Amino acid sequence: MNSFSSYSSLLIVLLSAALFSCSNPGVKTGGVLDMDNPSKVYVAPGEHDEFYAFMSGGFSGQIGVHGLPSGRLLRIIPVFSVDAEKGYGFNEETKPMLNTSFGFVPWDDSHHPELSQTNGETDGRWIFINGNNTPRVARIDLTTFETAEILEIPNSGGNHSSPFTTENTEYIVAGTRFSVPYPQKDVAISSYEENFKGMLTFIKVGDEGEMDIAFQILLPAFDYDLAHSGKGKSHGWTFFTTYNTEQKTTLLEVNASQNDKDFIAAINWKKAEEYISQGKFKEVPANYAHNVYDEKSHTATSTMKKSVKVLTPEDCPGLVYFLPTPKSPHGVDVDPTGEYIVGNGKLSADLTIHSFSKMLTAIENESFEKEIAGIPVIKFEEVVAGVVKDAGLGPLHTEFDAKGNAYTSFFITSEVVKWNVGTWEVLDRASTFYSVGHIMIPGGDSKKPQGKYLVALNKITKDRYLPTGPELCHSAQLYDISGDKMKLLLDFPTQGEPHYAQGISADRIKPNSKKFYPIEENEHPFRTMGEKESRVEREGNNVHVYMTTIRSHFAPDNIEGVKVGDKVYFHVTNLEQDWDVPHGFAMMGANNAELLIMPGQTETLLWEPKFEGVYPFYCSDFCSALHQEMQGYIRVSPKGSSVPLLWRLGEDEFES
């Protein structure tokens, strides 16, 4: 499309919007809408969005990557769930990524993506995300947008308050949503208060992103919901919301709402480091998987680890404090200065803001109302900085801009409320559609928010899109927050159920994006560095096909001598060295998925032929004008057959 036609298309959109507005004066559009909204989200063909938005996939177990302001879906990143499009969890190289202490688990419930930070600013190196069901955290390399590492979390049930970073990505955290028996054992559920515990996990992140459990902290058997780490003056602390301080196990919607207040658990992780160095921990047996994908060998390995270091507050004074907060809090959010900690009690119409400085003073003065399991409970009035009165119903999450303002989502009243940090004055309200959960401002949980846009992640979509049967996709809504008033710009559908999201300006990721894997750096044990090295080898019932792919053929493309009962491993190396030229490999009758092999990469598909005959394979990803011709055959003979193992490419025939 040339520039004139692009401009014409935009002009038509703007005129249509104006005509709609004039002809329908009584229509409620929701939020503050301008006739120039289409121009604010329009990204012309060939142009790029200003921001990346990383959306949790919720029950899909993946991450969705959208561009802002267009809302266009750019990519789905496979993380905790198998993905047939890319062969993730199906090919032999990535199967180990989904290994756990429970065996191969090909699904999870991913809630909270979290970008790595340097000096409290998002840096675009990695994004982390939690697996809620089988407790895990993952690290995605943002040079490749592929999952590089998954670490299982022991002594945990429901890894929800996870994996929020400290301001230099020293740690990511993982708090248990469901307290469980500690150690895990067969006990009566009625023995909850006696045998169950909550566990918070601090995971050390190395210079190259490598993860390892540094220590765990044993806490009372509450439910630990969300977290955020301090920044600036509060760097060195992490804050977790708790609910079910009643310690009930049934009908929690009633029984876990009895206490007037629950808590924010304030963890001094620098103090924890001191106690670890002093040997104040207990080395506790555990069994958990650590899965790492190596970019040079294009292969993942899974290692089972056998112990963790556990700190107990009774033995470690000053490690943990409880801050009373309105009942059943969900989000806990720290403003860019690190001074204010917002506790969002879901059953309160007010927002309670705690002061970090007042917390330190209260600790120094021992202004405690009681102790729980060796943890001092600070007097509520000693730590409160202010209250945003009558802000809305069902407050959940707060993000911040760079102008001293905060934005909180309200689930019940379906709105986002803007308020001032310091005066606690409500400045603006914007309706959402419907039942908003998390909200996201690019960099909105960092020291330097990038502002400009706010994304509301909504739970219910009815009437916003064309109907698609009983289930509708979830919805995101984009707001312009650059002015005094929030302006609704765009609705766009999302994958799975997005819970949280993270946004970052494209210039922090684009320059480092990998375009292909240098073939000379390929260290895969079954790589084939050129067509002359392609071959087929038999080792008992295992047949290894060393195959190459390049536009527009496989080498070899005819194979005979495979027998019923064999295990055939196709090790396919993509010889291309050009950007965006993957090749697919699909085999008839394979009980898994295709391969999608990036340029310079090697991947392996396992095929176990069940019947004799001749079966085709082909390239499943369009690669050239002769893509349809990119195919081959494998002859399968009866078990015990004497047909020799041979392969062909054109006029050349080879025998093993």
Side-chain angles (χ1 to χ4, degrees), residues 175-227:
T176 185
R177 174 181 170 188
F178 312 111
S179 290
V180 293
Y182 175 81
Q184 188 62 270
K185 56 188 174 183
D186 175 22
V187 297
I189 298 173
S190 59
S191 69
Y192 186 93
E193 292 188 38
E194 176 187 355
N195 288 311
F196 288 53
K197 292 290 184 182
M199 191 71 82
L200 307 182
T201 303
F202 282 72
I203 299 161
K204 190 71 176 174
V205 180
D207 293 339
E208 301 301 318
E210 63 277 12
M211 301 186 297
D212 191 28
I213 294 177
F215 55 88
Q216 295 187 310
I217 300 175
L218 192 67
L219 291 184
F222 305 154
D223 291 50
Y224 297 84
D225 198 11
L226 278 173

Side-chain angles (χ1 to χ4, degrees), residues 335-616:
D335 86 305
T337 70
E339 169 62 18
Y340 298 114
I341 304 148
V342 183
N344 296 321
K346 297 196 297 289
L347 301 182
S348 173
D350 301 332
L351 295 176
T352 301
I353 295 90
H354 302 281
S355 163
F356 178 74
S357 298
K358 292 182 75 173
M359 184 191 83
L360 293 184
T361 300
I363 292 170
E364 183 179 357
N365 294 335
E366 297 186 355
S367 299
F368 308 137
E369 62 180 53
K370 60 182 176 181
E371 277 194 1
I372 300 174
I375 301 169
V377 179
I378 299 174
K379 292 180 179 178
F380 179 69
E381 62 275 7
E382 295 293 325
V383 74
V384 173
V387 176
V388 182
K389 300 294 290 183
D390 300 321
L393 298 177
L396 293 181
H397 307 281
T398 300
E399 295 263 301
F400 303 89
D401 65 19
K403 301 175 183 178
N405 301 311
Y407 302 75
T408 300
S409 59
F410 288 83
F411 179 81
I412 296 173
T413 48
S414 289
E415 61 183 335
V416 176
V417 174
K418 176 182 178 180
W419 51 275
N420 179 263
V421 178
T423 68
W424 324 123
E425 175 189 4
V426 171
L427 303 175
D428 191 25
R429 297 175 182 273
S431 295
T432 62
F433 303 89
Y434 305 93
S435 298
V436 61
H438 280 271
I439 55 177
M440 179 272 282
I441 295 171
D445 69 342
S446 71
K447 286 171 69 174
K448 293 188 177 180
Q450 294 187 285
K452 192 170 185 179
Y453 298 115
L454 179 148
V455 178
L457 302 166
N458 304 332
K459 303 298 185 185
I460 298 172
T461 315
K462 61 181 64 177
D463 79 23
R464 300 304 287 179
Y465 306 115
L466 286 172
T468 54
E471 184 194 11
L472 303 176
C473 66
H474 288 261
S475 173
Q477 294 190 295
L478 180 71
Y479 295 80
D480 180 347
I481 59 169
S482 59
D484 291 336
K485 298 294 183 180
M486 293 178 277
K487 297 179 180 180
L488 176 61
L489 301 180
L490 179 70
D491 284 20
F492 59 94
T494 57
Q495 171 216 21
E497 181 191 353
H499 292 263
Y500 190 36
Q502 289 266 278
I504 185 172
S505 58
D507 59 10
R508 297 186 183 182
I509 292 180
K510 280 170 57 177
N512 301 317
S513 188
K514 185 181 286 291
K515 291 180 167 58
F516 58 85
Y517 295 94
I519 192 71
E520 67 275 9
E521 296 179 7
N522 187 326
E523 297 178 3
H524 193 288
F526 293 98
R527 67 189 181 276
T528 306
M529 301 299 282
E531 286 190 5
K532 291 184 178 179
E533 294 184 15
S534 62
R535 62 198 185 277
V536 183
E537 296 178 351
R538 176 179 289 280
E539 296 175 357
N541 290 331
N542 294 328
V543 176
H544 293 273
V545 180
Y546 293 78
M547 180 178 284
T548 64
T549 181
I550 198 165
R551 288 166 286 186
S552 295
H553 63 269
F554 296 98
D557 61 7
N558 280 205
I559 300 170
E560 298 189 19
V562 171
K563 304 171 187 178
V564 172
D566 282 344
K567 290 186 176 181
V568 183
Y569 294 88
F570 295 95
H571 309 291
V572 186
T573 300
N574 183 349
L575 297 178
E576 306 282 358
Q577 291 289 269
D578 193 7
W579 189 22
D580 194 28
V581 190
H583 285 294
F585 178 82
M587 183 68 226
M588 182 177 176
N591 298 129
N592 39 40
E594 66 158 1
L595 298 179
L596 188 63
I597 314 120
M598 299 300 114
Q601 195 175 44
T602 301
E603 289 190 1
T604 302
L605 181 142
L606 171 60
W607 178 54
E608 300 183 56
K610 306 289 195 303
F611 313 104
E612 57 191 78
V614 178
Y615 299 95

Side-chain angles (χ1 to χ4, degrees), residues 275-329:
Y275 283 126
I276 291 291
S277 66
Q278 295 167 11
K280 293 291 183 69
F281 59 88
K282 295 177 182 177
E283 194 82 26
V284 175
N287 187 39
Y288 59 102
H290 185 202
N291 310 326
V292 179
Y293 182 84
D294 179 67
E295 193 174 287
K296 292 292 183 69
S297 67
H298 311 297
T299 302
T301 55
S302 180
T303 304
M304 297 305 297
K305 297 200 167 185
K306 297 300 182 183
S307 67
V308 288
K309 297 179 174 66
V310 176
L311 296 172
T312 305
E314 292 95 327
D315 303 324
C316 302
L319 178 62
V320 185
Y321 296 91
F322 282 147
L323 314 182
T325 203
K327 65 172 64 179
S328 299

Side-chain angles (χ1 to χ4, degrees), residues 109-129:
D109 182 19
S110 58
H111 281 215
H112 306 121
E114 180 81 355
L115 287 159
S116 56
Q117 296 187 14
T118 302
N119 297 324
E121 296 184 54
T122 55
D123 56 31
R125 292 179 295 167
W126 314 299
I127 192 162
F128 303 90
I129 194 164

